[in-house]
Amino acid sequence: MEHITGAHTNNARHSIDLTSGIWRFQPDVFGNGERMGYPQPTCDIRFWREVSIPTAFDDCLPELRGYQGIGWFRCDFELAEECASQHLSLRFEGVNDQAQVWVNGQPAGSHVGGFLRFELPVAQLLQPGLNTLVVRADNTRRRGEVPGKERGWRPFGGILREVMLDCRPLIRLEHPVIVAEATGVFEARVTVVNDTGEGCEAGVALAILDASGRAVFSSAAHPASVDAHDAARLTIVGIAPHVMPWSPDSPTLYTAAFGLAHEAGFDEISLRIGFRTIERVGHQLVLNGEPIRLRGFNRHEDTARAGMAPDPEQTRRDLQHIKQLGANFVRLCRYPHHPSELDLCDEIGLLVMSEIPLYWWNGDTDGDQPASVKLDAARRQLGEMIARDVNHPSIIFWNVSNETHEQRPEVSADNAALVELAHHLDRSRLATHMSNHWTTTPAFDADDVICVNGYPSWSRRGWGCNPDDDFAASARWWNEHLDTLHRLYPDKPILITAFGYPALHGIANNGVGEDAQDDAIRTEAQAFEKPYVCGMTIWCYADHPWPEETFLNYMTISPFGIVTRDRRAKRALHSIARLYGRTFPPRGAPNLDNAPVVMVRPHLNDIPEVAFPDGYGIRAMRANEGGLWEDIQRDAEPFFTVEPGLFEREFGNDPSAIGRRCYLIVGPDGCAVGTISAWYSRDFKGQDWGRVHWVATRRAHQGKGLAKAGLSFTLRQLARWHARAMLDTSTGRVGAIKLYLDFGFVPDLDQPFAREAWAALRQRLDHPALRDL
């Protein structure tokens, strides 16, 4: 059994990462785990599955795809003797949806809400040496909970985020909050906790540092007197002169460091902050005193690699890509996202809407008690979200609900009550709810900004079963209804928080084609150029898993993204970049030493027949060999870095074709040493062409004629399905170009800078096919 060990050197605050190491998992389909002794350290776990967390049920056993029910997780960990004198608490960043926790066989506590942090004090349950932690996770949907029975995303259950054991001094600082305005004025609040049996006299100081470590503000110690087993809240008000306000164009961050000194010791806690002011002025949204127009995307916390578990690398790439597309705003839908995602938004400069998963709520139709319980759950989650994330300067909106049935009076009243609660908990930000009933029952009296969702193109073409509907009618729909809404609320800005259209990657001339998505988004966006519309947010950035229910004819992946779940771009992406002000300057002359070029073979007759050397051959790829393909490319590629996931991005749109069109060249020992593909380009020059794609040979096997034999085989394969072939290459690959010329390919001179590139190559490659260019 692997034990997780936490080391430390002194009594200072530190955390032990319980996410590392091996955990055990056991499904509990019938809910008998507690009766069978699962919480006890003596439970026989020989047949529990070994897993790593964070993880979803779906990834623990393949049979649990889409599972809704109970699963048990267990780990053993070591606790050092010195830690026993500290305040000890288990911190869970997210267990979906209901969690019960046992430590050494004793109940430690519980929590409901799958996307929010909770902490459990466990000092009385732990012991120096070996300890056992057991977690019961349950993602069963229940009435009266949030989101409860209603949700528009797949409800992955499990321990979806990190688990830590926090070790803190008995006299310590907790719950730091800093409200920092663009002018430099701030209010800082922090709690001094005394878990000892005697009263304590302490002093608390605050320093605010810029990125270089220079103090822009520092205070003398503020006295704090705290009784035994009590806490005191301390407030420090000040001004930091000459600070740089935080904004998307200049996301300047500072470090706020609190220090606590008392007779028995010291504690400190620090956090990153930004000086930023967001407000509504009439029908304008104003950031740091200047009107701002939001250009954004909705993003789910989901990746093909990790599901809803953290995927920091992909999250960073997504957010940077969103920023590169010209966006300044992201709605982190439809639940509180991981705190590290907010950290990234703080760093790169993306404004954020954060929200709780109160979704499609239909009020008292479930009965009075479930409705009341649901409202209480929403209040609790809203409070937990604001308490966790209040120090992130990127967040400008707290959103309290999405597409609820506000034609019901109790739903409308409860949305307003939640907005007022958000105001009460944090007056430095704007509070909203999101409506898709706004054309019939607008109810925005309490909201700072009016947030509306609409899908008129899809409503007409899809749900309305009218595939020939004119997209211009959707723009007229927006124009009419937005003007009506503005007349009702002339002093409030309107934010389009979700609009879009579904598209299947690689599909065109179809109701769910990429061309239709592109047309719908471009046409509808024209209606948003109004002075009272403060921005638009496209639904959505990436395709994501849906519940396996009736959405779009039981599709299990929502196809509304402008990139696929594995992040392949759809056609609308470039149109959106232009909508968002991203300029694409005229393409400059490439580096002629390695310029991209295209070659074509106008027919597939007279293909040279070349056999593989003795011992070598070629075989079809299997769908699970993408990693092997990437390894070969990485070994062979001289010009760029082959990133993980390249194979999926290149070929994942048509997985059924991989076994027909993708090949591995194998050596005498049967190991793969090269790759080549007989792929396709469906719309090259307005026609369907075969495509020779991703030719590579491991360096140790180059010079043996493998590429020549592989190309001969591949062209004969293409001749079965196509009348012509093309390929992409670059002029730095002189040997490859000579091979292609020998096989009847010729330069395609219709591409930008093609003549200049081929003229430069002619100085390095003397070939008859190039002499007449």
Side-chain angles (χ1 to χ4, degrees):
M1 169 68 71
E2 177 178 328
H3 300 155
I4 301 170
T5 303
H8 74 292
T9 57
N10 53 44
N11 202 42
R13 61 172 59 226
H14 64 282
S15 298
I16 299 171
D17 184 2
L18 300 182
T19 308
S20 62
I22 295 175
W23 284 61
R24 295 295 192 101
F25 169 78
Q26 182 80 319
D28 187 6
V29 176
F30 299 112
N32 295 326
E34 194 165 359
R35 181 179 60 81
M36 297 177 68
Y38 288 179
Q40 300 306 313
T42 56
C43 179
D44 182 359
I45 61 170
R46 288 175 298 158
F47 300 105
W48 289 38
R49 179 68 63 98
E50 288 187 355
V51 297
S52 298
I53 65 164
T55 191
F57 294 154
D58 308 54
D59 298 319
C60 295
L61 281 170
E63 296 85 353
L64 296 183
R65 173 191 163 102
Y67 174 66
Q68 294 183 45
I70 299 167
W72 294 75
F73 297 86
R74 167 175 164 159
C75 78
D76 294 330
F77 64 95
E78 298 276 352
L79 183 68
E81 181 79 37
E82 302 92 314
C83 291
S85 62
Q86 293 188 295
H87 173 81
L88 304 174
S89 62
L90 285 169
R91 170 164 50 94
F92 295 85
E93 291 295 342
V95 179
N96 196 20
D97 176 68
Q98 301 177 65
Q100 289 181 265
V101 181
W102 289 261
V103 173
N104 294 328
Q106 299 299 311
S110 62
H111 182 263
V112 178
F115 307 101
L116 286 163
R117 173 186 301 158
F118 65 97
E119 299 183 20
L120 303 174
V122 291
Q124 303 303 314
L125 303 177
L126 292 173
Q127 59 195 15
L130 185 64
N131 294 269
T132 299
L133 169 63
V134 176
V135 180
R136 179 187 186 270
D138 182 358
N139 68 332
T140 304
R141 294 183 290 152
R142 294 176 172 85
R143 298 188 188 281
E145 295 180 358
V146 172
K149 287 286 189 179
E150 302 82 19
R151 81 275 188 269
W153 61 95
R154 194 174 299 169
F156 291 97
I159 301 179
L160 297 184
R161 297 176 184 169
E162 298 84 356
V163 181
M164 310 293 286
L165 177 64
D166 291 331
C167 309
R168 304 288 184 257
L170 295 180
I171 301 175
R172 63 189 181 279
L173 297 167
E174 298 281 9
H175 312 305
V177 174
I178 295 187
V179 178
E181 299 179 6
T183 58
V185 173
F186 68 88
E187 180 179 290
R189 301 186 295 274
V190 70
T191 299
V192 181
V193 179
N194 179 11
D195 277 341
T196 72
E198 298 179 356
C200 171
E201 298 296 327
V204 177
L206 170 65
I208 301 177
L209 313 175
D210 65 16
S212 70
R214 181 181 65 90
V216 298
F217 175 88
S218 60
S219 75
H222 292 246
S225 180
V226 190
D227 293 338
H229 302 293
D230 202 357
R233 192 72 168 160
L234 190 70
T235 299
I236 300 173
V237 177
I239 184 168
H242 312 303
V243 294
M244 291 289 295
W246 186 97
S247 71
D249 293 333
S250 179
T252 305
L253 295 172
Y254 295 83
T255 299
F258 292 90
L260 168 71
H262 55 93
E263 187 177 39
F266 184 80
D267 186 31
E268 58 183 344
I269 191 170
S270 63
L271 62 149
R272 294 192 312 180
I273 64 169
F275 289 83
R276 189 265 302 127
T277 303
I278 187 71
E279 55 192 332
R280 180 196 81 205
V281 179
H283 61 245
Q284 289 186 317
L285 186 67
V286 176
L287 176 70
N288 302 332
E290 297 292 334
I292 187 169
R293 183 173 177 85
L294 302 182
R295 309 177 301 274
F297 294 92
N298 290 267
R299 182 185 184 273
H300 263 288
E301 191 173 43
D302 170 77
T303 68
R305 177 170 52 191
M308 291 189 76
D311 190 345
E313 293 180 7
Q314 187 62 59
T315 300
R316 179 178 287 276
R317 285 196 292 267
D318 285 357
L319 295 176
Q320 288 175 335
H321 187 216
I322 286 170
K323 188 79 184 278
Q324 290 163 3
L325 290 173
N328 59 9
F329 174 65
V330 60
R331 174 192 169 202
L332 301 183
C333 57
R334 291 170 166 134
Y335 37 78
H337 285 216
H338 195 286
S340 64
E341 190 169 352
L342 294 168
D343 289 337
L344 287 170
C345 292
D346 293 341
E347 292 171 13
I348 68 177
L350 279 172
L351 297 163
V352 169
M353 172 179 283
S354 193
E355 63 190 69
I356 60 172
L358 183 57
Y359 182 82
W360 285 357
W361 182 29
N362 56 6
D364 290 343
T365 56
D366 287 342
D368 293 343
Q369 185 175 6
S372 174
V373 171
K374 196 177 190 79
L375 179 60
D376 289 343
R379 290 178 180 273
R380 176 178 50 77
Q381 290 193 31
L382 181 62
E384 290 179 3
M385 177 179 70
I386 292 174
R388 189 195 71 172
D389 299 333
V390 68
N391 292 307
H392 289 281
S394 56
I395 298 177
I396 58 172
F397 295 115
W398 301 121
N399 187 56
V400 304
S401 68
N402 178 72
E403 298 183 354
T404 56
H405 293 220
E406 57 205 88
Q407 71 273 23
R408 299 187 62 82
E410 70 276 11
V411 173
S412 179
D414 289 344
N415 278 332
L418 289 168
V419 167
E420 291 303 329
L421 176 60
H423 287 149
H424 173 74
L425 296 173
D426 178 17
R427 297 195 176 278
S428 70
R429 290 177 174 85
L430 306 176
T432 66
H433 83 286
M434 205 167 295
S435 175
N436 66 340
H437 289 78
W438 56 279
T439 60
T440 55
T441 52
F444 299 101
D445 290 347
D447 299 58
D448 296 306
V449 172
I450 297 171
C451 294
V452 298
N453 299 351
Y455 301 91
S457 294
W458 179 242
S459 295
R460 287 179 163 87
R461 286 195 161 211
W463 295 318
C465 300
N466 183 9
D468 298 320
D469 190 79
D470 182 6
F471 288 126
S474 299
R476 292 193 294 272
W477 181 91
W478 279 110
N479 271 312
E480 175 187 345
H481 290 293
L482 288 174
D483 286 346
T484 299
L485 186 62
H486 176 60
R487 287 192 291 271
L488 291 174
Y489 298 95
D491 293 327
K492 292 189 177 185
I494 299 174
L495 174 61
I496 314 301
T497 37
F499 79 106
Y501 192 89
L504 300 177
H505 189 273
I507 299 297
N509 301 324
N510 183 278
V512 287
E514 290 188 52
D515 51 345
Q517 182 189 53
D518 188 25
D519 289 344
I521 290 175
R522 285 189 293 105
T523 305
E524 289 187 33
Q526 296 172 11
F528 307 148
E529 297 299 323
K530 299 174 180 292
Y532 58 81
V533 174
C534 67
M536 59 181 173
T537 318
I538 291 166
W539 184 270
C540 58
Y541 174 69
D543 295 347
H544 64 278
W546 259 339
E548 296 182 347
E549 295 178 355
T550 58
F551 295 115
L552 201 57
N553 294 42
Y554 292 88
M555 284 187 185
T556 58
I557 298 294
S558 168
F560 279 81
I562 54 98
V563 300
T564 63
R565 195 182 184 210
D566 56 2
R567 283 21 182 202
R568 285 170 288 127
K570 301 180 188 178
R571 185 184 302 184
L573 184 146
H574 297 290
S575 296
I576 293 166
R578 286 188 285 271
L579 279 174
Y580 283 175
R582 167 85 182 274
T583 57
F584 296 91
R587 181 177 170 185
N591 174 10
L592 295 181
D593 290 334
N594 190 32
V597 291
V598 176
M599 302 181 72
V600 296
R601 200 177 196 274
H603 60 81
L604 289 174
N605 304 322
D606 305 320
I607 298 169
E609 293 193 20
V610 181
F612 281 95
D614 287 346
Y616 288 88
I618 193 165
R619 68 168 176 84
M621 274 191 68
R622 292 182 282 271
N624 62 353
E625 292 182 315
L628 174 60
W629 182 94
E630 290 175 5
D631 188 64
I632 295 171
Q633 296 289 337
R634 203 170 283 120
D635 185 11
E637 177 53 50
F639 293 114
F640 65 89
T641 300
V642 175
E643 298 288 349
L646 177 62
F647 180 82
E648 181 68 21
R649 289 191 292 275
E650 289 294 316
F651 302 105
N653 184 56
D654 194 354
S656 65
I658 291 171
R660 294 190 302 273
R661 291 178 174 265
C662 297
Y663 315 108
L664 294 176
I665 298 170
V666 294
D669 58 359
C671 293
V673 299
T675 74
I676 193 167
S677 301
W679 209 244
Y680 54 80
S681 180
R682 297 298 190 207
D683 196 30
F684 181 67
K685 296 179 180 288
Q687 293 179 308
D688 187 357
W689 287 62
R691 185 180 189 185
V692 177
H693 205 30
W694 290 100
V695 183
T697 305
R698 288 194 186 274
R699 284 173 287 184
H701 295 265
Q702 292 174 1
K704 300 178 184 292
L706 299 180
K708 184 182 297 184
L711 182 59
S712 175
F713 172 86
T714 298
L715 286 175
R716 291 197 303 274
Q717 292 295 102
L718 283 175
R720 299 167 57 193
W721 309 310
H722 303 277
R724 59 192 71 83
M726 53 81 64
L727 59 85
D728 303 276
T729 185
S730 61
T731 56
R733 306 175 195 270
V734 178
I737 288 178
K738 182 180 184 304
L739 172 64
Y740 301 144
L741 291 169
D742 290 344
F743 269 72
F745 282 87
V746 296
D748 178 10
L749 299 180
D750 294 336
Q751 307 301 316
F753 298 101
R755 294 185 181 277
E756 295 88 339
W758 287 106
L761 178 63
R762 218 168 32 186
Q763 308 303 313
R764 292 176 285 157
L765 177 61
D766 183 19
H767 194 282
L770 300 181
R771 290 171 187 165
D772 296 331
L773 293 180

